[in-house]
Amino acid sequence: GNMRREWEPHLKSVLQPIFTDAGAEVISGEQVGARELEIDFVVRCDAQSRQSLAATSPFGFFAAHNLVEAKLMDDRLTVAEFSKCMGRSWLYHARHPDLPLAELQGVALCSRRPSALLRWLSRNAGLDRIGKGHYAARTAVAFRVLVLSELAIEPSNLRLLLFATKRARLPAIRELLRLRDEACLRLAYELHPAEVRRHEHDVRHR
């Protein structure tokens, strides 16, 4: 949808430094087939970058090869979309046939909880809730869902929470104003100017 095009460059500007600062390799828009078979981000990690991600971000669960898909705002992760993600995972594997399956996983970053898909996965594959907003499907190629709106309000999650639903976003914006995180506030202004201004007013007049 257009939402996807509108939000994606901003998400990219947030994710890229999280991954590269940890020493991971990031490839965006990798084609594994026709146009709709483009993977948003491929993030390749070694043991050291995985350790670093675990300490500084909610991505401590990353495998050696992670195929990251963004489902932001009104762009929902449906059962059909999940099947496309799985298809892309297998096509990626066809290009790297020596890669052990245990080192490959699909990761969906969703603004809101994809309830219908999670129910479908728990019936058809098995689903584990790993932590706040973090679900793992027991599929042949591992598949993780990170629901941004369910992440805890803590410094390492604040940038990602700017892509969450309004209800989850507002406490994150308040926390950013309290912490006076300039870089993060600039992004918040760019994405949600009215919300930031309203909260700034509240913070000042407390």
Side-chain angles (χ1 to χ4, degrees):
N2 332 338
M3 262 313 191
R4 177 189 175 96
R5 279 195 294 281
E6 201 179 303
W7 292 94
E8 217 148 78
H10 293 292
L11 182 67
K12 198 170 167 178
S13 74
V14 165
L15 291 177
Q16 194 93 27
I18 292 176
F19 298 141
T20 50
D21 289 356
E25 180 195 359
V26 182
I27 301 149
S28 58
E30 172 144 331
Q31 295 274 347
V32 287
R35 178 75 190 95
E36 73 163 11
L37 295 174
E38 182 179 288
I39 299 163
D40 291 344
F41 302 91
V42 176
V43 183
R44 293 183 188 153
C45 301
D46 59 14
Q48 208 174 348
S49 53
R50 288 213 293 271
Q51 225 174 338
S52 178
L53 282 173
T56 57
S57 80
F59 301 109
F61 60 86
F62 267 22
H65 291 238
N66 306 275
L67 313 184
V68 182
E69 304 283 344
K71 289 286 169 200
L72 302 179
M73 305 308 168
D74 295 340
D75 190 9
R76 301 278 183 139
L77 183 62
T78 59
V79 174
E81 284 297 321
F82 159 76
S83 293
K84 285 182 196 167
C85 290
M86 286 284 99
R88 287 189 280 265
S89 296
W90 285 113
L91 286 167
Y92 180 86
H93 191 265
R95 295 192 163 191
H96 307 275
D98 297 334
L99 184 65
L101 279 189
E103 293 184 9
L104 174 63
Q105 68 178 354
V107 180
L109 304 182
C110 303
S111 290
R112 58 185 76 240
R113 182 189 166 89
S115 304
L117 172 69
L118 295 178
R119 279 196 301 275
W120 185 89
L121 283 171
S122 79
R123 276 200 314 271
N124 289 280
L127 185 74
D128 300 303
R129 183 174 180 271
I130 306 295
K132 258 191 165 175
H134 178 190
Y135 304 88
R138 296 183 210 153
T139 38
V141 173
F143 187 78
R144 308 281 189 139
V145 177
L146 201 63
V147 181
L148 303 181
S149 299
E150 294 179 6
L151 293 177
I153 305 274
E154 49 192 46
S156 60
N157 292 338
L158 293 176
R159 282 165 197 259
L160 289 167
L161 278 158
L162 294 175
F163 299 91
T165 56
K166 191 170 184 179
R167 190 144 120 227
R169 204 163 63 218
L170 295 179
I173 288 174
R174 277 198 293 274
E175 184 63 5
L176 281 176
L177 286 163
R178 195 183 69 75
L179 294 173
R180 295 202 162 83
D181 180 334
E182 291 306 320
C184 214
L185 277 171
R186 271 199 300 278
L187 176 68
Y189 256 124
E190 225 171 304
L191 296 172
H192 314 289
E195 290 171 14
V196 179
R197 275 197 285 272
R198 189 163 60 247
H199 283 293
E200 241 176 358
H201 179 269
D202 295 349
V203 168
R204 234 183 269 129
H205 294 82
R206 238 174 227 163

